[in-house]
Amino acid sequence: MTLQEQYEDARRRYSRRRVFLGGAALAAGGLLVPTTSSAFAAPAVLLTAPKTAGSALRPFGRHLAFGAVPSREVVVSWQVPANVTAPYLRFGTAPGEYGEAWPAEVRALTSDLAWQSEPLFTVDPHVGQAVTQHYLHVRIGNLLPNTTYYYVVGHQGYEPSAGDVATFRTAPAPNATTPFSFTAFGDQGVGYNALATNSLIADLGPQFHLAMGDLSYANDGEGGRPDDRYDARKWDSFFAQNDLVAAEVPWMVALGNHEMESWYDHHGYGGMRARFTMPDNAWDGSTCIYSWRYQNVGLISLDGNDVCYNSDANLDYTEGRQQTWLKAQLQKFRADPSIDFIVVYCHQCTYSTSGNNGAEIGAQKRWAPLFDQYQVDLVLNGHNHVYERTDPIRAGKGTKKAAIKSTVNPVKDGTTYITAGGGGESINSWADSKIADSYYGNVKDATATMRVDQEDGESKSVKVTWSRVRYRGYGLVVVDVTPAANGTPARMRVRALTETGALVDELTLRRS
Ligand SMILES: [Fe+2]
């Protein structure tokens, strides 16, 4: 079944069950109210319990996002453990000096998976009741560029204290020449390795972080399959864990295969639409497919599930729209003289020699020619839980050996692809069994095996020479951007760090 068919099937069964429960509850004086979005949104959600006073319900899981214009637009999101009255955000340019309360948009996400008579969606045995999660969002526009704001979130009955204050900082104006940094990883999950990579982000203090899919692993199956196992409340743990960093560092997300949750609407992305507010400016209704710019860097988030044969539940679900939009967006960015670098981020691997998920023929055939044509400088992804950096690639071939601490000119040399899937969930191995799992460091003149899933479902192994640096461990990528100034061209220094901050790889990208 496609994701949409799975959703329709789930909804049919759910509706039958709800008719019965709803009638009983109404007779007993229960209350039926509509949800604002997502899972099984069409039927009503039963709320028999009155709202609590709210005083003991602490907001948690704060996470920020930039809008498409990060010098002016920020979204503050958080969660409350139950339905509360009048949730709000207050902010200002000094702690304690806040303006009026901004009401939050409440997105109630109900996951009721207990209806099935057979395990269509297998869940933990404790799930005998519906779980409703309350995600709150405030979009702020017209902010001052390059400005630190202090903020608090609260609701009726809960007044935030001094310990609840957090900050966000808007980007400088697009033409500013301020150096800045961002971090990236995929496949974070929940656990102590995820906490370690979080701590490293906090220590590095980037202007934003790219979370490249397979975020919480609440869906512990392959993604988009009827036999996926799902625990909705693992998202609560994920957000509580990440509050440490995401409350102050905008957390820009891309979709992974584990975000295909077929019991929600919007091709399984209804849950993601409740939890996050990304710019989503690709087209009306796109989910986590968007472009934005931070000073001289144009950024594009893609949904690899649309081109992925490895987990194919959403293959071609955009019916070509993502491809058309990607081409137009790359053209626009490359034609803009104020944008030096184009960074694309997504979940699945265009090029990788890890064996667990291999590389994606869909990305190689559909996206890589566009990356070549518009000279994309850097492609970042997760999916395979390793670190791997390619030599610059054009037309599928490495153009030169780019050792650790070397410099690449993307105009002449091509696109550098980095898999950074060591965010915390687990670690994968290499496709070539001759390469030691513990291998760490520069790969001198080595060939490696790339496993590519084909359109017909078969897997093909290809010998490649572009796999330059590999590391099998937890960590992240940090990119330091220095815009052009005083005759010095713009450059991006890309480093891979272990979860404890040790340097694995370093590469400089300079266009000329
Ligand atoms: Fe994945």
Side-chain angles (χ1 to χ4, degrees):
M1 281 193 284
T2 65
L3 272 189
Q4 200 58 31
E5 288 165 348
Q6 291 178 54
Y7 168 68
E8 294 299 334
D9 186 49
R11 185 169 157 175
R12 261 194 310 277
R13 298 189 197 201
Y14 176 86
S15 299
R16 281 201 297 274
R17 179 171 176 264
R18 272 294 167 225
V19 165
F20 174 74
L21 280 181
L26 282 173
L31 176 66
L32 286 168
V33 296
T35 51
T36 53
S37 79
S38 245
F40 311 120
V45 170
L46 185 64
L47 296 177
T48 51
K51 289 179 181 178
T52 69
S55 55
L57 299 178
R58 287 180 67 95
F60 71 100
R62 294 167 296 177
H63 52 284
L64 303 175
F66 279 132
V69 184
S71 57
R72 314 279 291 180
E73 301 165 356
V74 168
V75 184
V76 179
S77 304
W78 69 101
Q79 194 175 346
V80 281
N83 197 20
V84 296
T85 301
Y88 65 85
L89 164 80
R90 299 180 71 193
F91 66 96
T93 52
E97 295 179 18
Y98 309 125
E100 63 191 46
W102 286 48
E105 177 192 349
V106 182
R107 300 182 196 158
L109 178 69
T110 296
S111 309
D112 183 351
L113 306 176
W115 43 264
Q116 75 269 24
S117 56
E118 54 196 43
L120 179 61
F121 302 128
T122 312
V123 292
D124 288 343
H126 69 265
V127 182
Q129 56 193 5
V131 174
T132 298
Q133 291 156 306
H134 298 84
Y135 298 105
L136 310 175
H137 304 262
V138 177
R139 299 169 191 255
I140 318 168
N142 292 320
L143 293 163
L144 298 170
N146 205 24
T147 301
T148 297
Y149 288 89
Y150 298 78
Y151 75 90
V152 291
V153 296
H155 50 262
Q156 188 175 304
Y158 182 83
E159 284 301 320
S161 62
D164 294 323
V165 179
T167 63
F168 61 81
R169 186 169 181 84
T170 53
N175 59 357
T177 55
T178 315
F180 67 94
S181 301
F182 65 92
T183 51
F185 61 52
D187 311 88
Q188 184 186 17
V190 179
Y192 52 78
N193 295 108
L195 274 172
T197 51
N198 267 355
S199 299
L200 185 56
I201 297 173
D203 199 35
L204 292 164
Q207 274 62 51
F208 56 91
H209 175 69
L210 306 178
M212 302 180 296
D214 285 5
L215 304 171
S216 74
Y217 286 82
N219 174 7
D220 199 24
E222 188 180 304
R225 291 175 56 91
D227 58 353
D228 283 349
R229 298 175 304 278
Y230 184 62
D231 182 353
R233 291 188 294 182
K234 197 163 179 196
W235 282 106
D236 301 353
S237 304
F238 174 80
F239 283 117
Q241 165 190 273
N242 288 356
D243 184 291
L244 166 73
V245 191
E248 304 210 333
V249 177
W251 206 263
M252 306 302 285
V253 304
L255 297 167
N257 49 302
H258 287 264
E259 276 70 61
M260 291 191 285
E261 301 164 329
S262 47
W263 38 93
Y264 299 127
D265 57 5
H266 285 90
H267 301 278
Y269 298 147
M272 289 297 291
R273 294 167 70 89
R275 299 168 196 127
F276 292 95
T277 302
M278 292 297 113
D280 287 346
N281 53 10
W283 60 85
D284 202 18
S286 70
T287 306
C288 295
I289 303 174
Y290 55 93
S291 66
W292 58 297
R293 70 175 290 179
Y294 194 103
Q295 292 186 188
N296 63 332
V297 177
L299 296 120
I300 294 177
S301 169
L302 296 178
D303 180 4
N305 297 321
D306 186 35
V307 301
C308 181
Y309 292 90
N310 177 248
S311 304
D312 62 358
N314 264 346
L315 182 64
D316 283 327
Y317 81 101
T318 73
E319 299 174 335
R321 264 200 294 197
Q322 180 169 231
Q323 185 78 2
T324 305
W325 171 81
L326 171 62
K327 183 175 171 61
Q329 193 54 50
L330 288 172
Q331 198 169 25
K332 197 168 138 193
F333 273 160
R334 196 41 87 208
D336 185 339
S338 68
I339 287 183
D340 291 310
F341 299 107
I342 300 177
V343 175
V344 172
Y345 55 105
C346 56
H347 180 65
Q348 284 88 347
C349 313
T350 310
Y351 298 106
S352 170
T353 67
S354 173
N356 288 66
N357 290 302
E360 272 304 326
I361 194 75
Q364 289 177 10
K365 286 191 173 174
R366 302 185 198 188
W367 293 350
L370 294 176
F371 300 159
D372 287 348
Q373 184 179 355
Y374 296 103
Q375 297 174 1
V376 169
D377 300 278
L378 181 63
V379 174
L380 295 166
N381 58 263
H383 201 36
N384 286 319
H385 302 180
V386 294
Y387 173 78
E388 184 173 26
R389 194 255 298 163
T390 71
D391 288 332
I393 289 177
R394 186 161 281 160
K397 301 247 181 311
T399 61
K400 74 168 203 180
K401 285 175 187 150
I404 292 174
K405 298 205 172 178
S406 65
T407 297
V408 160
N409 174 7
V411 178
K412 185 164 72 68
D413 302 330
T415 303
T416 298
Y417 294 82
I418 289 179
T419 296
E425 171 63 14
S426 62
I427 292 301
N428 291 164
S429 54
W430 307 109
D432 192 333
S433 58
K434 291 199 290 293
I435 298 173
D437 278 350
S438 57
Y439 188 87
Y440 180 132
N442 198 10
V443 182
K444 289 182 182 160
D445 302 317
T447 59
T449 302
M450 174 175 67
R451 203 204 73 215
V452 194
D453 290 334
Q454 305 294 297
E455 291 94 328
D456 59 6
E458 294 298 309
S459 186
K460 187 174 159 190
S461 289
V462 184
K463 286 281 175 215
V464 299
T465 58
W466 41 247
S467 179
R468 190 53 48 207
V469 183
R470 304 184 201 113
Y471 171 64
R472 191 174 173 273
Y474 298 103
L476 52 70
V477 164
V478 55
V479 181
D480 304 310
V481 182
T482 308
N486 305 321
T488 306
R491 62 187 185 280
M492 285 203 301
R493 181 177 63 151
V494 184
R495 287 177 293 154
L497 304 178
T498 69
E499 64 179 327
T500 55
L503 185 69
V504 172
D505 186 20
E506 181 178 328
L507 186 75
T508 298
L509 302 178
R510 192 163 52 214
R511 299 178 64 85
S512 59

